[in-house]
Amino acid sequence: MALCFRLSRALLFLFVSCIAASLLAESALKTYQFDVQVKNVSRLCHAKPIVTVNGLFPGPTVYAREGDQILINVTNHAQYNMSIHWHGLKQFRNGWADGPAYITQCPIQTGNSYTYNITVTGQRGTLWWHAHILWLRATVYGAIVIMPKEGTPFPFPQPYREANIVLGEWWNDDVETIVKQGNKLGLPPQMSDAHTINGKPGPLFPCSEKHTFAMEVESGRTYLLRIINAALNDELFFAIAGHTLTVVEIDAVYTKPFTTNAILIAPGQTTNVLVKADQSPGRYFMAARPFMDAPVPVDNKTATAILQYKGIPNSVLPTLPQLPAPNNTNFALTYSSKLKSLNTPQFPANVPLQVDRHLFYTVGLGQNACPTCQNGTQLTASLNNITFVMPKTGLLQAHYFNIPGVFRTDFPDRPLAPFNYTGAPLTANLGTTLGTRLSKLKFNSTVELVLQDTNLLTVESHPFHLHGFNFFVMGSGVGNFNPKKDPAKFNLVDPPERNTVGVPTGGWTAIRFRADNPGVWFMHCHLELHTMWGLKMAFVVENGKSVDESILPPPKDLPPC
């Protein structure tokens, strides 16, 4: 009997050990040290000091697996206050690790540190991180690569190799100085001097032969490109001369694969594509250039990198791809309509079919009085005619600790004065209301939000990013949203699921999400210019009934205000 008891205890210990080992194998602890520091960098024949992470531009890639815990200690050695946003990571109950300054934390001051404690839950694919204060994300950004759990294959052919393609913008002068000059005049700051691919503009720019990203491929092999648009203000087309791209993922969500000669990617978005090296061995340009179908000036120069077949000498001149015309609206709308969720038993599209709360937000530019500005006015931007005023205290702290007077929860569900949103340009009555006003959502409620562009001053496309959630893009269209007719055309089966979506120029986009993540979550246009002008707001998602449905307590090293 004693022997049987000893054996059963030994077997139980072995069984428990096996379970613990398998759990540990499924998830790991990954640690990173991010030193924010200034470094001299040269591009386009200009040298200047820029803010970097670990002296790298772009910054280091964060690698993890689904289920992992990531600890990223950020130490700020730069002269600017700093906060970093982990763009697209859902941060369940843990807004303290989301990163937008004065929304979920106060910034990390010079000489101080903060550890972002992130658990990757139910996500795999390509995301990215960037500074979320001032315009510092011009140089402070990098990729996040989340691999599936061990033993879980991609739902598409296994690539031979993969590469990150991070698209960005470069200014020859100091970006913060340029922004201050623009604000002083009440006008947009000067546009960027170049676009970049992995921090390099490519050989079409002066002094840039050595500042060109090159990727070597072998004939017949398939490669996965993880493409990120880290540009501040430009939607971009991307293509590779002579090669087709197969889109397999957007914003870390698998899609039904489709082939295309070019992709369109807005600031904040990520797109994974498969590329087969099936052309005659040579050198082929990868190229990125802006899409802009509104009368707004952009930096329309083309950034390039090189896809180089193994064994081909550098003396062979690369060929350029045929990118869509900069104002090709038809390509943009057709491309977006092809994006659909994979929607398989393993990767379902859990689209909310019943809606608890219907929201309608107008997106517009405006003009407010500014006695110190050049024309006595300054350009501004608003949602439902409200220009968001950044608080001096983190909104999440104010919510969690019930600090009065920091924000109000009366953001309107719809515009107070409906009008013909996309008719003739409106140039009168352009004043907006200023306020730190949030919208309160019940825990686990389902929300439908229609974002409607307006012709206040001009129509323009706007990429909107919602922190803390993915959402389903139910539909979009040109002109004014029709609540009687347009919902009948919504895709309720396999709409694309993402964290950043473009509102078409002079049109609308409808999204749905489930408010199952308690906390304060920022929503804003990912064009840095418009965010700075106030095109932003935040949702307060209330706690649920249990501890598991409530905000986690703040970490001890949360930066003070």
Side-chain angles (χ1 to χ4, degrees):
M1 179 75 180
L3 179 65
C4 287
F5 180 67
R6 278 200 297 275
L7 272 172
S8 64
R9 274 179 59 182
L11 286 168
L12 179 65
F13 176 75
L14 191 65
F15 176 67
V16 170
S17 299
C18 285
I19 286 178
S22 70
L23 285 172
L24 281 170
E26 279 186 23
S27 60
L29 178 66
K30 304 278 170 65
T31 59
Y32 287 87
Q33 175 61 38
F34 274 28
D35 286 307
V36 177
Q37 53 198 207
V38 173
K39 184 185 178 183
N40 279 325
V41 168
S42 174
R43 296 287 187 275
L44 274 64
C45 320
H46 287 73
K48 68 170 185 175
I50 64 168
V51 182
T52 69
V53 169
N54 299 349
L56 302 173
F57 171 61
T61 300
V62 172
Y63 291 96
R65 277 196 188 277
E66 182 183 343
D68 284 355
Q69 183 184 7
I70 315 170
L71 295 178
I72 305 169
N73 183 66
V74 177
T75 303
N76 185 9
H77 303 282
Q79 72 270 37
Y80 300 103
N81 289 344
M82 176 57 65
S83 76
I84 293 181
H85 170 50
W86 315 94
H87 185 115
L89 282 169
K90 292 180 186 171
Q91 310 283 12
F92 284 113
R93 303 169 51 218
N94 187 29
W96 312 110
D98 190 42
Y102 300 107
I103 305 296
T104 57
Q105 67 166 94
C106 288
I108 306 161
Q109 294 177 8
T110 305
N112 291 10
S113 297
Y114 176 49
T115 300
Y116 291 92
N117 186 343
I118 300 161
T119 301
V120 183
T121 308
Q123 292 183 274
R124 82 294 307 159
T126 306
L127 296 168
W128 66 299
W129 58 265
H130 60 84
H132 213 301
I133 184 169
L134 305 172
W135 282 43
L136 293 175
R137 74 178 176 91
T139 57
V140 180
Y141 60 82
I144 301 173
V145 174
I146 306 166
M147 297 302 290
K149 288 183 178 175
E150 289 273 17
T152 305
F154 294 130
F156 48 79
Q158 179 72 25
Y160 175 62
R161 285 215 176 109
E162 57 179 65
N164 299 335
I165 303 290
V166 189
L167 311 175
E169 283 182 272
W170 172 264
W171 280 261
N172 286 331
D173 297 315
D174 179 70
V175 178
E176 292 306 320
T177 304
I178 291 167
V179 170
K180 279 181 190 151
Q181 287 166 347
N183 285 342
K184 208 169 175 181
L185 297 170
L187 297 170
Q190 70 182 59
M191 67 187 73
S192 56
D193 295 290
H195 291 96
T196 56
I197 298 176
N198 291 343
K200 298 171 178 178
L204 303 186
F205 288 89
C207 306
S208 297
E209 278 295 332
K210 65 177 183 179
H211 296 306
T212 302
F213 172 72
M215 174 184 170
E216 187 178 81
V217 297
E218 293 181 30
S219 283
R221 301 284 196 182
T222 298
Y223 296 81
L224 179 69
L225 302 186
R226 300 175 178 272
I227 305 165
I228 298 163
N229 187 349
L232 276 79
N233 294 305
D234 291 335
E235 293 183 76
L236 296 166
F237 293 120
F238 174 86
I240 304 175
H243 295 71
T244 55
L245 312 174
T246 302
V247 177
V248 293
E249 177 198 303
I250 51 171
D251 292 4
V253 180
Y254 297 131
T255 60
K256 288 186 170 66
F258 68 92
T259 58
T260 180
N261 291 326
I263 67 163
L264 176 62
I265 184 166
Q269 293 182 335
T270 69
T271 304
N272 282 11
V273 300
L274 293 174
V275 180
K276 190 166 187 187
D278 56 3
Q279 298 301 299
S280 60
R283 299 173 84 223
Y284 297 86
F285 271 133
M286 310 182 210
R289 184 179 68 197
F291 162 62
M292 174 54 75
D293 60 352
V296 175
V298 290
D299 167 14
N300 63 2
K301 296 184 281 295
T302 304
T304 52
I306 296 172
L307 187 82
Q308 182 156 343
Y309 281 68
K310 196 170 181 179
I312 298 297
N314 288 351
S315 55
V316 174
L317 288 173
T319 50
L320 268 169
Q322 280 287 102
L323 287 164
N327 61 349
N328 192 335
T329 305
N330 191 45
F331 179 94
L333 296 175
T334 304
Y335 174 81
S336 298
S337 70
K338 290 178 186 170
L339 297 168
K340 295 185 189 330
S341 289
L342 194 56
N343 194 24
T344 60
Q346 191 178 6
F347 303 107
N350 296 316
V351 186
L353 299 178
Q354 301 297 319
V355 175
D356 299 321
R357 184 96 170 267
H358 288 269
L359 306 175
F360 184 86
Y361 292 175
T362 55
V363 183
L365 300 178
Q367 254 178 349
N368 286 333
C370 173
T372 60
C373 295
Q374 189 179 37
N375 300 323
T377 59
Q378 64 181 355
L379 288 168
T380 187
S382 66
L383 284 165
N384 282 353
N385 206 46
I386 296 165
T387 296
F388 191 85
V389 176
M390 291 297 275
K392 300 282 193 293
T393 302
L395 295 175
L396 183 58
Q397 288 97 312
H399 169 59
Y400 187 85
F401 293 110
N402 291 313
I403 302 169
V406 178
F407 65 87
R408 290 158 42 185
T409 55
D410 62 349
F411 191 91
D413 285 6
R414 53 196 54 82
L416 299 179
F419 58 98
N420 181 3
Y421 306 114
T422 56
L426 299 167
T427 54
N429 303 322
L430 293 174
T432 65
T433 305
L434 308 183
T436 311
R437 297 166 69 177
L438 280 60
S439 180
K440 192 175 272 196
L441 302 175
K442 283 194 163 43
F443 179 80
N444 216 32
S445 61
T446 53
V447 180
E448 180 179 291
L449 167 59
V450 176
L451 290 159
Q452 172 72 60
D453 188 31
T454 62
N455 205 353
L456 292 159
L457 287 177
T458 180
V459 287
E460 193 175 344
S461 67
H462 301 270
F464 268 88
H465 173 47
L466 175 60
H467 291 228
F469 299 91
N470 279 358
F471 49 74
F472 291 97
V473 185
M474 307 306 297
S476 66
V478 175
N480 295 342
F481 176 72
N482 185 326
K484 292 192 173 68
K485 293 181 181 174
D486 287 325
K489 298 178 234 163
F490 284 179
N491 179 356
L492 301 173
V493 179
D494 57 0
E497 181 185 343
R498 43 191 342 164
N499 62 58
T500 306
V501 68
V503 178
T505 301
W508 57 270
T509 293
I511 65 171
R512 284 185 189 175
F513 64 97
R514 182 176 292 280
D516 56 2
N517 193 4
V520 176
W521 302 106
F522 206 22
M523 189 185 78
H524 60 97
C525 179
H526 222 276
L527 304 179
E528 201 60 41
L529 178 65
H530 292 172
T531 298
M532 176 179 78
W533 284 349
L535 196 46
K536 50 196 173 188
M537 56 83 66
F539 292 106
V540 180
V541 179
E542 296 176 321
N543 284 339
K545 290 177 181 167
S546 67
V547 173
D548 290 344
E549 297 172 342
S550 302
I551 303 169
L552 291 166
K556 294 202 164 40
D557 64 338
L558 189 71
C561 290

